[in-house]
Amino acid sequence: MIIYIPITLKPSGYSFHDFPRQSNRKGGGTGILARDCYNVSQICADEKISFEFSIWLVKWNNTKIKLCIIYRPPFSENHPVSTNTFFTEFEEFLEDNIMSDESLCIVGDFNIHMDFKENPDQLKMNDILTSFGLIQHVCSPTHQSGHILDLILTRNCGDLELSSPNPGYFISDHCFLNTTVNLQRSDVSKTTIEFRKL
């Protein structure tokens, strides 16, 4: 679940970038709260039938991360969309975004129970992630019901190093996930200057 942060609650030194839900359904939207030292720009954002997303380019020194934020509402009377529709749309989404020069990180509330080994939805999701060379990093429950619904995905080529995500406090029925991304500092350039005393 993506939590909206009123501008008055935004911590000093941070900026909030968001993409509000465009359809008629109440609430929703995706966003990113980032330190001012990071250069954040929106690449694109949209709503599919089964999920909504925003894609951001996060720059820091020589590091660039393509950050994709996903929100898939659960099946309900207001959103009667099957997981099969989501899987089809998510595969198309990955085909469009998996090949990028930047490091790739996909995060969000997928509302798929990733802790039931025999769950057909989890098996299908794992097949998709494997076929696209993605790793799912979250191993601890992220929902108050004790299930893993929120995911952090990166490519398995190791272009982005993450610490194991730890669940934080609950601000809703979902908890925050805390992880550290290892961003390489830019190399200090060295210049040799030759001179003679005049």
Side-chain angles (χ1 to χ4, degrees):
M1 172 178 276
I2 306 301
I3 306 298
Y4 267 94
I5 300 174
I7 197 69
T8 54
L9 298 181
K10 179 178 66 67
S12 176
Y14 285 78
S15 299
F16 187 61
H17 313 269
D18 69 320
F19 179 73
R21 178 175 288 166
Q22 305 297 297
S23 65
N24 294 330
R25 289 185 297 117
K26 293 181 180 178
T30 56
I32 175 175
L33 181 68
R35 286 184 186 269
D36 289 338
C37 63
Y38 298 110
N39 183 333
V40 178
S41 58
Q42 187 183 96
I43 297 174
C44 66
D46 202 358
E47 286 183 54
K48 305 277 189 183
I49 294 171
S50 63
F51 70 99
E52 53 197 75
F53 69 90
S54 58
I55 303 176
W56 308 86
L57 183 63
V58 181
K59 298 180 187 176
W60 184 75
N61 288 340
N62 293 330
T63 302
K64 295 180 182 178
I65 298 175
K66 188 176 188 179
L67 178 64
C68 305
I69 303 174
I70 304 279
Y71 174 60
R72 175 188 167 259
F75 185 92
S76 67
E77 184 178 333
N78 294 329
H79 190 257
V81 181
S82 70
T83 51
N84 287 333
T85 301
F86 168 73
F87 291 139
T88 299
E89 291 188 334
F90 188 55
E91 284 182 294
E92 293 170 356
F93 174 84
L94 291 176
E95 287 171 0
D96 292 337
N97 291 285
I98 197 72
M99 298 301 291
S100 63
D101 295 334
E102 305 85 14
S103 298
L104 179 68
C105 186
I106 303 171
V107 301
D109 179 1
F110 287 76
N111 274 306
I112 294 173
H113 290 187
M114 295 298 287
D115 49 292
F116 290 158
K117 292 184 179 178
E118 301 305 318
N119 177 9
D121 288 340
Q122 180 189 0
L123 294 174
K124 177 64 177 174
M125 186 68 170
N126 284 336
D127 284 344
I128 292 172
L129 299 182
T130 299
S131 66
F132 281 93
L134 293 170
I135 299 173
Q136 201 290 103
H137 295 270
V138 182
C139 299
S140 302
T142 63
H143 191 263
Q144 63 185 10
S145 63
H147 298 296
I148 300 173
L149 304 180
D150 305 274
L151 310 179
I152 299 175
L153 312 172
T154 61
R155 289 188 285 230
N156 62 12
C157 62
D159 64 342
L160 199 62
E161 291 183 28
L162 270 70
S163 65
S164 296
N166 294 314
Y169 61 91
F170 286 83
I171 195 170
S172 68
D173 55 338
H174 292 251
C175 69
F176 282 97
L177 285 170
N178 302 311
T179 186
T180 302
V181 179
N182 183 16
L183 299 178
Q184 294 181 349
R185 293 183 180 272
S186 59
D187 295 332
V188 177
S189 60
K190 295 181 180 179
T191 305
T192 300
I193 302 174
E194 294 184 2
F195 65 94
R196 61 180 179 164
K197 192 173 182 180
L198 297 177

